[in-house]
Amino acid sequence: MEIKKVHIPNARLVEGRSYPFRILKIVSLGPGEDWFVMQDPNGYKILVPENFYRQYGFKPGQTLMCRVDKINCNGRMFLEPEHPHYKEGETYDFELVSKGRRKNIINQDERYFIVRDVFSNEWKVRTYDRMLWEDPPFRIPCKVRRIKKGKLFLIIAGEEVRHPDLKPGQIYPFTIVDETINPDDGHSYYILEDVTGSKHLLRKKYYMHYGFRKGQRIDCRVDKFASEGFYLLEPMHPCYETGNIYRLPVERVEELVFTDGFTQKVLVLTDCFGEEVKVFSDDKVAAYLLNKGSVEARVSRIRKSRLELEIDVSGFE
């Protein structure tokens, strides 16, 4: 088995950290496809979509802080430029535009406000406080829970949503009662019902290979409460359990070659569905496994049906 070299057109930075990037210019790759050409601290370039951040007022020549949101196993890096006015975890007063009430897609009675930010963008923020909704102030204090692609994810300051019967990290039984398309994002979801009769959403695209059907009972781990107002659920994998060790076939070994000379070995394994699972590896382990047909790995996490694996390196020392 040969090592497949994959050239990555950027330098290796650390996921989750922020770095100064300089905007060199704006280029157009087609109608409505304008991109910032950003230069990282090592002098290497990366493209960032301009349309998400148009109202930020960024100009060529400007240096700004960007968080490395994610580096996938293909070496592709995703940046989130620092918002000029808002920071995640901080609370700000937003101008109240309007309020509304509706039945959401899982038939819950939902009260919400439409608020306006400093750029006059309008955002919907759900409230669970009936009295606040009935008599709101002119400015609503909201906590910025997340900023992604320039979009603000807000919650009302001081409002914490707790389900009396569901706790993050625990596993509970659910029944698939229906499927629907969420008009807010256009995505397809399974509608799950817990033992109390409460409804929950599960993004369909990540679990189609599980073969779920209406009326089926499944166990899910409660991950956390999302900014969108629903619990994030992770169905138990048909083949694997978190914490257990399994032997998986080695499909190939890749070497990511970054523009600053940094290299990173990646083991490409296959799961029980034939899906690729990529695991970062040091050179010694990769060399040992180069001509092996399989490897034992511990499942550290399962998220959106994808395995996150840890390989025990003690046997290679």
Side-chain angles (χ1 to χ4, degrees):
M1 186 186 300
E2 295 184 356
I3 296 178
K4 179 183 178 182
K5 291 186 179 293
V6 180
H7 292 275
I8 308 300
N10 54 261
R12 173 75 172 184
L13 301 178
V14 179
E15 188 173 294
R17 293 187 183 177
S18 293
Y19 299 88
F21 282 76
R22 185 167 178 264
I23 302 175
L24 299 180
K25 59 183 177 180
I26 300 174
V27 297
S28 178
L29 302 181
E33 289 189 48
D34 290 344
W35 298 75
F36 291 116
V37 180
M38 313 277 278
Q39 187 178 51
D40 75 10
N42 301 308
Y44 299 98
K45 299 173 184 177
I46 184 172
L47 293 177
V48 174
E50 183 265 352
N51 62 304
F52 295 144
Y53 311 103
R54 189 163 294 155
Q55 292 184 312
Y56 284 17
F58 294 156
K59 302 293 182 183
Q62 183 178 356
T63 297
L64 48 102
M65 296 299 293
C66 296
R67 182 181 67 233
V68 179
D69 246 8
K70 181 181 179 181
I71 301 174
N72 65 22
C73 283
N74 294 320
R76 185 181 178 189
M77 188 163 57
F78 298 86
L79 301 180
E80 184 64 37
E82 189 175 271
H83 197 287
H85 297 277
Y86 303 111
K87 293 185 181 298
E88 292 180 346
E90 298 294 324
T91 298
Y92 305 87
D93 286 341
F94 288 80
E95 178 188 350
L96 174 64
V97 177
S98 63
K99 66 178 184 179
R101 183 177 178 179
R102 67 173 187 175
K103 290 286 186 180
N104 61 26
I105 64 171
I106 56 176
N107 205 36
Q108 291 176 335
D109 191 19
E110 183 178 283
R111 294 177 175 85
Y112 61 89
F113 298 116
I114 302 297
V115 298
R116 182 178 289 131
D117 68 14
V118 295
F119 293 133
S120 295
N121 295 315
E122 294 183 357
W123 309 105
K124 185 170 73 173
V125 54
R126 188 176 180 179
T127 181
Y128 300 87
D129 187 333
R130 182 173 179 175
M131 293 181 64
L132 176 66
W133 183 83
E134 289 179 347
D135 187 23
F138 293 110
R139 300 187 69 82
I140 306 289
C142 298
K143 183 176 182 179
V144 180
R145 192 165 189 175
R146 184 184 182 202
I147 303 174
K148 185 171 184 179
K149 297 180 180 179
K151 181 178 179 179
L152 302 183
F153 292 84
L154 306 173
I155 58 174
I156 302 296
E159 286 196 17
E160 290 188 13
V161 182
R162 293 188 178 93
H163 192 290
D165 303 301
L166 298 182
K167 295 181 180 179
Q170 300 299 308
I171 298 172
Y172 300 93
F174 297 84
T175 301
I176 301 174
V177 295
D178 207 348
E179 296 181 17
T180 190
I181 295 176
N182 189 342
D184 290 341
D185 59 22
H187 299 311
S188 296
Y189 289 84
Y190 296 110
I191 298 180
L192 308 185
E193 184 178 85
D194 64 27
V195 294
T196 69
S198 296
K199 303 292 197 306
H200 307 269
L201 292 178
L202 181 68
R203 181 81 177 274
K204 184 177 178 179
K205 68 173 285 188
Y206 302 120
Y207 308 100
M208 293 181 66
H209 54 302
Y210 281 18
F212 288 158
R213 63 188 184 279
K214 185 176 178 180
Q216 183 177 352
R217 179 190 176 279
I218 61 174
D219 290 332
C220 298
R221 186 188 71 249
V222 177
D223 196 352
K224 61 181 180 178
F225 197 83
S227 303
E228 294 82 357
F230 301 102
Y231 279 99
L232 293 179
L233 304 177
E234 184 63 41
M236 297 298 95
H237 198 286
C239 306
Y240 308 103
E241 290 185 21
T242 302
N244 288 351
I245 296 175
Y246 301 89
R247 181 166 289 278
L248 284 84
V250 178
E251 181 72 19
R252 64 183 182 277
V253 178
E254 295 180 347
E255 182 179 56
L256 306 184
V257 182
F258 294 83
T259 49
D260 59 353
F262 180 89
T263 61
Q264 172 69 65
K265 297 295 194 302
V266 178
L267 304 179
V268 183
L269 314 178
T270 52
D271 67 11
C272 63
F273 292 110
E275 299 285 337
E276 290 188 351
V277 184
K278 296 189 175 184
V279 187
F280 288 132
S281 168
D282 63 28
D283 291 350
K284 187 174 183 179
V285 173
Y288 179 83
L289 294 173
L290 194 56
N291 295 307
K292 301 292 182 181
S294 61
V295 64
E296 287 191 340
R298 183 186 303 275
V299 178
S300 60
R301 188 185 183 196
I302 302 174
R303 184 172 183 268
K304 296 178 180 178
S305 82
R306 303 294 293 177
L307 303 182
E308 296 182 13
L309 302 174
E310 297 174 352
I311 295 175
D312 184 4
V313 299
S314 59
F316 310 115
E317 296 176 352

